[in-house]
Structure formats: structure tokens, C-alpha cells
């Protein structure tokens, strides 16, 4: 069995892949101080709770938090007896290497999303990922990542607004009933929701104009489905795009003798 691990700035996700489907997906808060033993206790307990008795033989990791990779390596070595494939490291091959400025290090999450989106939808894509940051990844006709855009994440923007303006409360992200709010909470929700709808539409329009060809838009991340209610922003939404991308990269490395 393959264990796919995606470690983001906010959450870390473990998914077990049997070669045809994901048997389970488990999520925990990202914490660079969590030890290999703590990871294993959490993982094995939830696997038992879900009545899944599987043997992990291979692991692939994508992490935007470098400090957690060491303990994940220890986890794989100590409890699964395997060496993980880490996206972004020299020994991890990509189906199509990124074409960016020399010396630029592309985030592993963006490389994984690119691989997953290309495998499912082909090239000429804009992948919009609603995570801690809201990212736009441009996928060329041959599946290569050729650049993108990074904007503050939705929840990050709300937290900043709450902390910087003493009179403004913390609010949840939701689609408001109308654009013009008649109370403070409604005004904030409208600003965030419709502001990000405008952000996504405006950035995607400018990307399309710059590359000068049609580009399909793929939405992913926890809030993608929420923002699709505001307008026709996406051609499709992929809930498991990152995990799918990990399986694609793992299989590519297996086919080319890296594993």
C-alpha cells in the first residue's frame, strides 16, 4: 500500500492508496514538533478505528514545511521500513520539470497540483488552490508548471482583519445573502466572499490574456466549492487533486526506476 502525505502550513493529510482508490484520508494540524512516534500513534489509532488493516510499503511526501520532513522520514523508516519519496528533492522525478527562472524553488504543493491536474485534464490549465495562501498555478500544454500567482489565503485575510482592527469581530467564511451588508458581520463576509470571487476572476482573466490562449480553470482546496457558488469561476472542482498528484508522481518514479 502507498501512503501519501501532504504537509501544508495549516494541516497535514495522510491518505492510503491501494492502486485504484483511496481507502481513507486522515487530517491533523501541522506541528513541526510532532515526533515520529506521535505520528504513528495518531495514524495507527485512526486506522484501527476505521477497521483498516493494511501494510504500508511505500510512502511519498509533499511538504511546504521543511522542518517536518525529518520526523516523517523517521516515521517511514522506523514503522514502515521504507524510505519515502519526497517531492522537490533531486531523486524525485517529475513528469514535466517546471519552467521558471533559474534558481527558483517551486513549492512541492504546486508541483503536485500541476501533475494531478494535467493527468486528469490535460494541459493549458489554471489551478486555483484555496489553502493557507490562495495560489494560481499555470500548467502548460505539455504539463509543465510555468509560473503562477500567490495571494493571501481567505482565512489568513480574515484573521489579519480581525487582529488589526480592534472593533471588527472574527467571522466565518460564507456566502452572504446580499452584497450590501446591513451589519458589521455581513459587511465583512461580503467583503471577503465577493472580494475573493473578484480576485479569482480578475487574476485568471489576466493570466489568459498574458498566455494568449484558452485556459481551463480547476478549483481545489477546502473553500473551492464555497466560492463556486458566487459565480461561474471554475470549469471543474477537484477535492482530492493534491493526493491524486502524489500518486501520479509516485507512479512516474516507479516506472522510471527511481523506486
Amino acid at each position: 500500500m502507498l501512503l501519501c502525505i501532504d504537509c501544508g502550513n495549516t494541516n497535514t493529510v495522510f491518505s492510503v492508496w491501494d492502486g485504484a482508490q483511496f481507502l481513507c484520508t486522515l487530517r491533523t494540524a501541522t506541528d513541526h514538533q510532532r515526533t515520529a512516534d506521535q505520528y504513528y500513534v495518531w495514524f495507527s489509532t485512526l486506522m484501527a478505528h476505521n477497521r483498516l488493516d493494511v501494510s504500508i510499503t511505500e510512502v511519498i511526501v509533499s511538504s511546504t514545511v521543511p522542518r517536518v520532513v525529518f520526523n516523517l522520514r523517521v516515521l517511514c523508516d522506523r514503522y514502515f521500513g521504507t524510505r519515502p519519496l519526497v517531492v522537490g528533492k533531486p531523486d524525485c522525478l517529475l513528469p514535466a520539470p517546471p519552467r521558471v527562472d533559474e534558481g527558483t524553488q517551486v513549492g512541492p504543493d504546486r508541483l503536485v497540483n500541476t501533475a494531478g491536474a494535467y493527468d486528469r485534464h490535460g494541459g493549458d490549465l489554471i489551478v486555483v488552490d484555496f489553502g493557507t495562501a490562495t495560489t494560481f498555478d499555470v500548467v502548460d500544454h505539455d504539463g509543465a508548471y510555468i509560473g503562477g500567482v500567490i495571494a493571501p489565503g481567505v482565512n489568513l485575510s480574515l484573521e489579519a482583519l480581525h487582529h488589526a482592527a480592534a472593533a471588527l469581530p472574527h467571522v466565518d467564511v460564507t456566502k452572504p445573502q446580499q452584497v450590501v451588508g446591513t451589519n458589521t458581520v455581513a459587511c465583512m463576509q461580503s467583503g471577503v466572499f465577493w472580494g475573493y470571487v473578484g480576485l479569482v476572476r480578475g487574476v485568471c482573466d489576466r493570466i489568459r490574456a498574458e498566455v494568449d490562449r484558452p485556459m481551463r480553470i480547476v478549483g481545489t482546496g477546502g473553500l473551492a466549492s464555497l466560492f463556486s457558488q458566487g459565480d461561474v469561476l471554475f470549469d471543474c472542482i477537484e477535492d482530492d487533486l493534491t493526493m491524486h498528484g502524489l500518486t501520479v508522481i509516485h507512479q512516474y518514479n516507479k516506472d522510471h526506476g527511481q523506486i
Side-chain angles (χ1 to χ4, degrees):
M1 293 285 183
L2 171 65
L3 175 61
C4 299
I5 302 177
D6 172 42
C7 180
N9 291 295
T10 304
N11 292 317
T12 297
V13 182
F14 284 43
S15 289
V16 179
W17 174 254
D18 69 356
Q21 63 180 343
F22 288 108
L23 300 181
C24 71
T25 296
L26 309 173
R27 188 180 301 267
T28 186
T30 297
D31 181 0
H32 71 274
Q33 294 183 321
R34 184 174 286 117
T35 66
D37 300 329
Q38 289 174 316
Y39 275 119
Y40 183 72
V41 169
W42 167 79
F43 177 71
S44 59
T45 300
L46 288 179
M47 290 292 285
H49 177 75
N50 286 288
R51 299 180 180 178
L52 290 173
D53 183 15
V54 299
S55 177
I56 302 299
T57 57
E58 298 172 298
V59 181
I60 182 169
V61 176
S62 168
S63 177
T64 58
V65 186
R67 288 187 293 176
V68 306
V69 175
F70 173 77
N71 284 327
L72 291 175
R73 287 187 183 275
V74 175
L75 166 73
C76 297
D77 177 64
R78 180 178 298 168
Y79 291 104
F80 304 136
T82 187
R83 181 174 179 270
L85 185 67
V86 180
V87 178
K89 298 299 182 183
D91 61 342
C92 180
L93 302 179
L94 297 172
R99 291 193 289 272
V100 293
D101 294 343
E102 186 176 351
T104 299
Q105 186 173 358
V106 181
D109 55 332
R110 310 186 80 176
L111 298 174
V112 171
N113 281 349
T114 295
Y118 180 74
D119 182 69
R120 284 183 170 170
H121 304 286
D124 292 330
L125 304 173
I126 303 170
V127 181
V128 184
D129 189 353
F130 292 90
T132 304
T134 300
T135 59
F136 300 75
D137 303 325
V138 183
V139 184
D140 209 353
H141 63 91
D142 61 350
Y145 171 87
I146 58 172
V149 175
I150 301 175
V154 178
N155 286 309
L156 190 63
S157 295
L158 274 173
E159 286 295 326
L161 193 61
H162 170 59
H163 288 296
L168 297 180
H170 175 79
V171 299
D172 295 326
V173 184
T174 186
K175 180 183 178 181
Q177 294 183 347
Q178 55 192 31
V179 176
V180 180
T182 55
N183 57 69
T184 301
V185 170
C187 289
M188 292 175 66
Q189 289 175 332
S190 183
V192 170
F193 183 85
W194 292 111
Y196 271 85
V197 168
L199 170 71
V200 171
R201 178 169 294 283
V203 169
C204 288
D205 285 347
R206 288 182 176 273
I207 290 173
R208 283 169 164 161
E210 191 167 290
V211 300
D212 196 24
R213 62 179 182 270
M215 305 285 284
R216 287 173 294 166
I217 304 174
V218 179
T220 191
L223 294 175
S225 58
L226 171 65
F227 282 96
S228 67
Q229 299 175 30
D231 213 336
V232 184
L233 294 177
F234 312 114
D235 293 290
C236 62
I237 294 176
E238 298 281 3
D239 294 328
D240 64 343
L241 185 64
T242 302
M243 288 301 165
H244 177 67
L246 285 172
T247 68
V248 170
I249 293 175
H250 181 269
Q251 188 61 51
Y252 184 82
N253 280 265
K254 204 166 186 176
D255 293 341
H256 287 75
Q258 291 296 106
I259 303 175

